[in-house]
Amino acid sequence: MDSHFSSASPPWGDLSSASRQSIVVIHPDMGHELSPEEAHRAGLIDWSMLVKLKSQECDWEEISVKGPNGESSVIHDRKSGKKFSIEDALQSSRLTPAQYDCYVNKDMSIQELAVLVSGQK
């Protein structure tokens, strides 16, 4: 099973204010485009490749946000402006406490954490 990767950006680049590139995987048998998440669910790419492709689409950082309930951590994609709550991900089981501990102990990259927290797996 040999998947092909393609960039969906036009050759002149993205004209939006935030340069954004969509990554697609070409299905080897059908020839149609899949998002990295769809390709992962279809078994065409593994977890490691999903994280690599998502890291090309996004620019993740962890930030602390102060709100009425105190301070919380969020994962922020600087390219799209989207923010995802780590606490919400823990409560909804998109992220396990053990996975978060791996991130805190530097055994997991921020890209891996972001894919889990954002639910893009």
Side-chain angles (χ1 to χ4, degrees), residues 46-114:
D46 63 11
W47 171 255
S48 175
M49 181 58 68
L50 172 64
V51 171
K52 286 177 186 174
L53 295 176
K54 291 306 295 177
S55 70
Q56 292 178 26
E57 285 185 332
C58 305
D59 184 14
W60 300 108
E61 67 178 341
E62 181 181 4
I63 58 175
S64 295
V65 177
K66 292 188 185 210
N69 297 328
E71 193 170 301
S72 64
S73 291
V74 298
I75 296 295
H76 175 231
D77 176 8
R78 290 184 282 219
K79 287 185 180 178
S80 71
K82 292 181 182 178
K83 295 178 183 169
F84 301 93
S85 166
I86 292 174
E87 185 62 35
D88 288 350
L90 286 164
Q91 289 177 356
S92 66
S93 299
R94 289 190 313 265
L95 178 69
T96 67
Q99 289 169 322
Y100 185 63
D101 287 344
C102 283
Y103 170 71
V104 169
N105 294 325
K106 304 205 183 304
D107 293 328
M108 178 188 292
S109 70
I110 192 166
Q111 289 83 9
E112 290 176 282
L113 178 71

Side-chain angles (χ1 to χ4, degrees), residues 6-24:
S6 170
S7 172
S9 292
W12 57 85
D14 187 350
L15 301 178
S16 68
S17 60
S19 179
R20 182 115 173 121
Q21 208 176 34
S22 293
I23 304 294
V24 297

